[in-house]
Amino acid sequence: MTMSVGWYLRRLSRMGPQEVAGRVGDAVRRRRWRSARPHCPSVTGARFTAVLPAGAITAIPPDAAKRLLAEADRLMYGHIEYFGVVRDDLTDPDWWYDPKAGRRAPWGYAFDVPYRDEDAVGDIKQIWELSRHQYLTVLAAAYTITGHERYAERVAAHLRSWWTANPPLRGVHWISGIELGIRLLSWVWIRRLLDGWPGAVGLFEHNPLARNQIWHHQRWLAAFPSRGSSANNHVIAEAAGQFAAACAFDWFPSSARWRADALRSLERHLRSNTFLSGLNRELATEYHGLVLELGLAAVAEADAAGVPVPATIRLVLLRMTDALAAVVDSRLRPPRQGDADDGHGLVMDGAGTDRWASLLATGDAVFGRLAWWPTVTGTDVRTPLLAALIKPTEPAVTRPASRPAHFADAGMTILRGQGETGEIWCRCDGGPHGFLSIAAHAHADALSVEVRHDGVDVLADPGTYCYHGQPEWRQYFRSTLGHNTLQLNGADQSVSGGPFLWTRHARTRVVEAGAARWSAEHDGYQGAVHRRRVELVASTRELRIVDEVRGPGRDVRLAFHLGPAITAHLTGDRAVLTWTLDGEDRSAELELPGELNWRAHRGETAPPLGWYSAGFGRKEPTTTLVGTGFADSAVLSGEFTTVLRFHG
């Protein structure tokens, strides 16, 4: 996907003067670096001292170690899957190859590579993901657990291959700061996990190729931080990776300066990216997880190196952990809100390890669980290793005495009630459209609801599916029609200016937020107001949704997206929903507004409608119920009532 002149003008309009000046400076620096490539300073006596404490490996639960080793052996055989694409070429990978498109990215000066153009480069996410080297941290952890040198030797071969094939400032892997930051964090942990291997020093400290790469990565990050309207999760990954490398690889004349600058950036952006309630300001749950992982990894490096960190960093991470514990459902699944691209900050676990249970387990080990936290089942490798490095501290803050249900600053409310056959969980969205002026990872989902029964998506948030290269799918999955809310006059509530750019943001106001009732309204439809009321009556297992349209008459489309496990039988304005969970049949009834004409849509492509994306790059057909009609006080009441009733 190439960007038009119009896109650049729209993007420029969302920047302030300071950001514009910074980006002009970046452009000048890129031109200068094309011909002026300095050499890594010579280093003598480099040592790696940030090793794991004694006993850290023995604290890994056996079942978590078993899952890790199964994953490591799969990797050794060359198999891996990224974003729904299975590859079997991992024994000797081509670092520039996209197996999805069968295309290889072009060579050249990094900042000349048109990485957004899928026809020229391929799917950039497919190319970048392998080079985050998070699969190598898994192999390094397998070596640490077993002592089998074949894992370490494979890691060393791949690192040497990558370092040789990707010299500084050449090719697609030197374009995006988040990639450099996460890669540095992976290298730090690879070196730590390989510490017992005789070849570790020769691979890192005594290897000019490694030192050159580490130095150039940090020099790049110091020169080109994400700034202004782009200072979201990317800048935190950049700062965390830079800080981790400057702590663990403290070998260069600039290390102390890089470390101090990265720590200041990390502290400032962790605060600015997080509401006081602890939820991430991007209102995209997977990025909440990514930022929390990156922050915990950075604190681990600080404590391992004896570098003091501001108390505010630990406080933000504590609040993020408590907020995560508050919003998950009975099966520890958080909301599916906003963009999601399966990104992780630090990977050391095998398939089947629950990401959110892992984060809550780490939070328990580092901060201590509260009485209202959900019970965390399952184990992981990462928690005992991070906990071995992070020094426990008593937080100088009062934590919530009971489980929060309403996060006023984020506009998120969780209604929940325990029925005979499991928890009814409902997320109501009355928050800001997104973070910063471009709201890059936001969806046009104001007043949407997401409903689960015993952890099963019933009224589902469809997800994200893609970022680049497929504009019609990108548009659908972040559109108003693509969420459980009401669309007026065929338009989104907020106006998109590109795949990561919103030029007008709907403003939402929460009117009421209680334990079982919620209402809010937004002004995204200029000249008309959409107000929604939601009430959960746990005793009758009933969820009531009332939509009200005030203003001039408009065409209405009210959408309810069902989860992929749900079968729907629609008759007129009633839908019977059935599904199976753990071998048990479940059912519910959806009583839809009779004022609208209802149709079921499934797996349609022209245009897209009736899809669910469980993860980035993956989609499957599901049922979407869409009611169409006209909202006009002279014709209809302008009020539409939906009742979802779960059967016992």
Side-chain angles (χ1 to χ4, degrees), residues 540-600:
T540 58
R541 303 180 295 277
E542 183 177 288
L543 187 78
R544 181 175 294 267
I545 303 169
V546 180
D547 290 294
E548 180 185 355
V549 179
R550 291 179 293 161
R554 297 291 170 93
D555 292 321
V556 168
R557 284 202 289 184
L558 180 60
F560 291 109
H561 301 261
L562 306 181
I566 308 299
T567 298
H569 298 279
L570 176 66
T571 304
D573 57 5
R574 291 179 184 270
V576 175
L577 314 181
T578 56
W579 66 98
T580 303
L581 178 64
D582 298 332
E584 181 180 327
D585 291 337
R586 307 286 182 92
S587 65
E589 184 178 3
L590 194 57
E591 185 180 310
L592 300 159
E595 301 91 340
L596 303 177
N597 296 314
W598 289 91
R599 277 190 59 197

Side-chain angles (χ1 to χ4, degrees), residues 453-475:
H453 186 268
D454 202 9
V456 174
D457 289 317
V458 179
L459 301 183
D461 183 295
T464 299
Y465 177 55
C466 67
Y467 281 169
H468 300 287
Q470 301 177 75
E472 71 282 7
W473 290 101
R474 175 64 170 152
Q475 169 60 24

Side-chain angles (χ1 to χ4, degrees), residues 1 4 31 78 104-105 133 148 166 175 178 215 259 293 314 331 339 361 494 559 622 632:
M1 178 188 299
S4 65
R31 293 192 65 179
R104 197 169 188 271
H133 290 170
H148 295 328
N166 295 278
I175 295 171
I178 187 174
W215 183 82
R259 184 169 57 243
E293 289 171 353
R314 297 182 197 267
R331 299 195 179 226
D339 272 351
S494 297
T622 192
D632 190 325

Side-chain angles (χ1 to χ4, degrees), residues 108-450:
Y109 182 56
F111 299 116
D112 290 342
V113 176
Y115 69 97
R116 291 191 180 97
D117 187 347
E118 193 162 318
D119 292 333
V121 174
D123 186 334
I124 194 62
K125 289 279 290 176
Q126 288 285 346
I127 298 172
W128 278 346
E129 193 70 17
L130 186 68
S131 289
R132 290 186 172 189
H133 290 170
Q134 293 176 326
Y135 77 97
L136 293 180
T137 58
V138 172
L139 289 174
Y143 165 76
T144 301
I145 291 171
T146 65
H148 295 328
E149 294 197 1
R150 66 177 182 273
Y151 297 119
E153 289 165 354
R154 177 64 59 83
V155 171
H158 279 207
L159 285 179
R160 289 191 174 103
S161 168
W162 195 94
W163 290 334
T164 301
N166 295 278
L169 298 178
R170 290 298 180 267
V172 293
H173 297 303
W174 290 89
I175 295 171
S176 174
I178 187 174
E179 304 304 317
L180 277 74
I182 290 177
R183 193 155 52 238
L184 279 176
L185 188 57
S186 295
W187 292 351
V188 168
W189 273 93
I190 289 167
R191 175 61 185 87
R192 175 175 291 127
L193 293 166
L194 294 185
D195 191 62
W197 180 52
V201 173
L203 179 62
F204 280 92
E205 293 95 301
H206 293 176
N207 184 356
L209 194 60
R211 296 197 306 265
N212 184 58
Q213 285 278 354
I214 292 167
W215 183 82
H216 273 283
H217 270 64
Q218 293 185 84
R219 175 177 178 259
W220 193 109
L221 289 171
F224 300 112
S226 294
R227 59 178 80 247
S229 56
S230 296
N232 52 14
N233 63 85
H234 284 230
V235 75
I236 292 173
E238 295 158 11
Q242 176 83 300
F243 178 72
C247 286
F249 302 138
D250 184 17
W251 305 335
F252 308 106
S254 299
S255 291
R257 174 172 56 84
W258 286 337
R259 184 169 57 243
D261 290 348
L263 185 59
R264 279 193 296 271
S265 175
L266 183 67
E267 192 274 338
R268 178 163 66 94
H269 289 292
L270 271 176
R271 282 191 293 107
S272 66
N273 275 252
T274 310
F275 288 112
L276 287 177
S277 66
L279 291 179
N280 185 269
R281 285 184 183 270
E282 292 197 79
L283 297 172
T285 307
E286 281 207 8
Y287 288 112
H288 182 109
L290 174 64
V291 168
L292 182 52
E293 289 171 353
L294 292 166
L296 289 168
V299 170
E301 295 308 325
D303 288 354
V307 176
V309 299
T312 49
I313 289 181
R314 297 182 197 267
L315 178 58
V316 169
L317 299 177
L318 168 63
R319 286 175 171 158
M320 292 182 73
T321 305
D322 281 341
L324 176 62
V327 300
V328 295
D329 64 22
S330 59
R331 299 195 179 226
L332 303 185
R333 293 181 62 221
R336 283 167 52 88
Q337 183 179 24
D339 272 351
D341 71 349
D342 299 356
H344 288 71
L346 181 63
V347 177
M348 283 184 284
D349 279 281
T353 302
D354 186 276
R355 175 185 196 171
W356 308 106
S358 171
L359 275 171
L360 290 175
T362 304
D364 185 4
V366 172
F367 303 119
R369 60 176 286 113
L370 294 172
W372 55 261
W373 273 31
T375 300
V376 176
T377 57
T379 59
D380 67 322
V381 172
R382 188 178 61 188
T383 287
L385 300 188
L386 283 174
L389 296 177
I390 298 176
K391 294 178 172 56
T393 56
E394 188 68 29
V397 64
T398 301
R399 298 169 70 184
S402 59
R403 190 175 200 170
H406 178 57
F407 298 82
D409 47 10
M412 182 189 294
T413 298
I414 305 293
L415 307 179
R416 66 176 85 224
Q418 192 64 37
E420 293 177 11
T421 55
E423 177 195 63
I424 300 170
W425 176 99
C426 175
R427 171 181 66 87
C428 303
D429 181 2
H433 174 62
F435 183 48
L436 301 174
S437 62
I438 64 172
H441 291 299
H443 290 185
D445 57 357
L447 308 195
S448 65
V449 296
E450 184 184 1

